[in-house]
Every structure is written in C-alpha cells, then in structure tokens.
Amino acid sequence: MSLASGHKGRNQSVLEKKIHENPKYSRVSSRLDTGSSVSKYNKKVEDIKNNYKFKQGEIFKRMKVSTFIQLVLQVENYVSEADVTGLSPIPDENEEETLPPTPNSDAPPTHRTCDSRFSDVITGMGEMDLKNNNRNVPQTIVERPPKPYLLLDVRDSDAYNSCHITGAVNFPSAMLSRAQNYFTKEVLEYVNKEGRIIIICDEDERIAHMCSTTMIERGVDNLFMLSGGMKVLHSKFPRGIIRGPLPRSCLVDNEGKVSKAKLRAQEGVRSASEHPMGNEFTEDDLDILQDTLDSLLESMAPPTRLGGMSRAQSNLSHRSATSATPWK
C-alpha cells in the first residue's frame, strides 16, 4: 500500500499541487484584468458592507464620490473663469481721457485716468464730486457667482473645525431636533431652488443617513447624500479634498484595524480651521483632483475587445472633464 501510494504521489500532476500562500504577500492583488469573477464580486460585496450603510426603503438619493468630484471640478473651473471675464477689463492706468468743459463754464478741460473713470461708474461718482480732489474711492469687490451645490457637514462643530471637506459648511445634526427654525438662512437659499442641490456628508454615513431622511420628510426635495462619506472619499481621493487630521473612523481598513503608518501620517497635520487657504480650493488641489479622477475613471472602465480604449476612457479625458457644459 505504501509503495502504491508513493508511486501515485510521484505521478501527481504539477497543476494539482496545492500552492501555499505566503502571508507576506497576502494583500498584494494582481493588476491583470481577467474579467468578471466570483472573487471580484465577493470583494465588491464586502467593500459595500464595510463602507456603505444601505438600508431598505431609503427616501433620499445618493451621490457617488466620483460624481461629486466631477461637480466640484466643473464648478471651480467655471467660477475661476467668471472671476476673469465677469468684469470688463480695466484700461491702462496711464491712459488719460480729456473731459469737455461743463456748459456755461470757462474752466479748461480736465484730465482723468481710465482707472478713475471705471471706479466712478461702480461707486456712482458724479461730475460734482470730481471737484473734490481728496475723495476716497472704495475698492471694487468682485463677488463670485453662487455655487449650484451646498455641501453640509452634519457633524458637531468640534469635529468640523478639526477636519472637513473643502467647501463644506457646518450644519450640526442637532439643528434638526428643533420644532421650528431648524434651517439656517444659508440652507433656505438652496432648499427646493431650481438649479441648486444640497449634499449631506459625514464621516461614514452614521449621522448623514438620519439627517437626509429627516430633511426629506420636512419637504427638501433637492437633497443628496454623499455615499460613503469622508471615509470613501479619502480612500479614492487621498489628496486635495479633505483638510485636517482624519478621524479614526476614516483610517480603519476592512478588517477593522488602523495601521501605525496611517496614524503616524496624521501627526502634526494642522486642523482645517488653521489652514492658510481657509475653505477654498487652490489650483494645486484642483490639479491633483483632476489627475486622480482621470486615473480612477480609467481603472473603472475596462478596455474593449478590440484592444482600444473604451468609450468611457476616451470621453473622460482631461479636456472633457474640465471643459464640459457648465453646471448652470
């Protein structure tokens, strides 16, 4: 029996031998796309269970983080163009204009610069005011057009001041417990207004789900919830969108553990309230978000059978993402 069994083991095919896994490379996944498989499906289901809190009978709409980043990029690029082209260009300050003398006056023509002429139109300065040479012309303030979305962070003020998404406005969930006046003036400017939406976000949907349901029940129809919250947003866009040290719930992996490297990386990061740029995006932030978005969309769209780029990959290039139809 022993000889027979030993002989059978020697004739065993190489493909039938079991390959022992090395724990050192257990988390390394293959980059080769072999198509749909059961393992990929199970991984997707596990990711949904860990990062999303879907409930049956949700009455609000969800917004994916990739869709939210596309909205941010289009709005910021449109607003930056409006800042440049919103006002007519101011002529050169050295250029002078000769004003004709007023009727029934022997005074010689006066000279005014184009800068003063432009500021007079803005501030409502008349000809009678020109006689006062010591007048103080206030500086022209260029107001940005209102954004089509309002991002509400429903965590408490301490958590918001420590870390939040760039452009988010703090709206603590405790406001919704009031019987009256539970919406602020800024929120009322977006409630059910045409061309505007409200986006609810938090760390990992623990609070946002309840707040979104409550606001829908109180008549807010143009409301979306950021699916996955800051946790999924940071996992897909680690730079350029979140300011401040990340909360611990955003650093937990699928196994419920936090690596020491992630905790060490958060040390010394200044809080969001102390950021020099305040709550506005910088050009570097937009460039980083655009590059990350392009990489994410390319990885999500598999190539066609002919070996070329898919339709989604060809359409979602850098130019198409930034120069698409304006949000308004």
Side-chain angles (χ1 to χ4, degrees), residues 6-7 11 39 109 115 146 153 284 302-304 306 309:
H7 182 70
N11 293 336
S39 59
D115 183 27
D153 192 328
D284 294 338
T304 59
L306 299 178
M309 294 179 62

Side-chain angles (χ1 to χ4, degrees), residues 186-244:
E186 189 171 11
V187 174
L188 290 175
E189 294 178 355
Y190 282 81
V191 172
N192 298 336
K193 296 301 174 69
E194 184 178 359
R196 297 187 179 186
I197 61 174
I198 298 175
I199 306 173
I200 305 297
C201 71
D202 66 347
E203 295 177 5
D204 53 0
E205 297 188 5
R206 287 181 298 176
I207 310 175
H209 196 286
M210 179 269 297
C211 293
S212 301
T213 304
T214 303
M215 294 181 70
I216 289 291
E217 292 174 348
R218 294 183 177 180
V220 183
D221 298 330
N222 58 337
L223 183 138
F224 295 81
M225 190 188 77
L226 186 62
S227 193
M230 296 171 58
K231 181 179 179 181
V232 176
L233 182 63
H234 173 71
S235 64
K236 297 183 181 296
F237 298 89
R239 299 171 54 203
I241 187 66
I242 298 179
R243 289 178 177 168

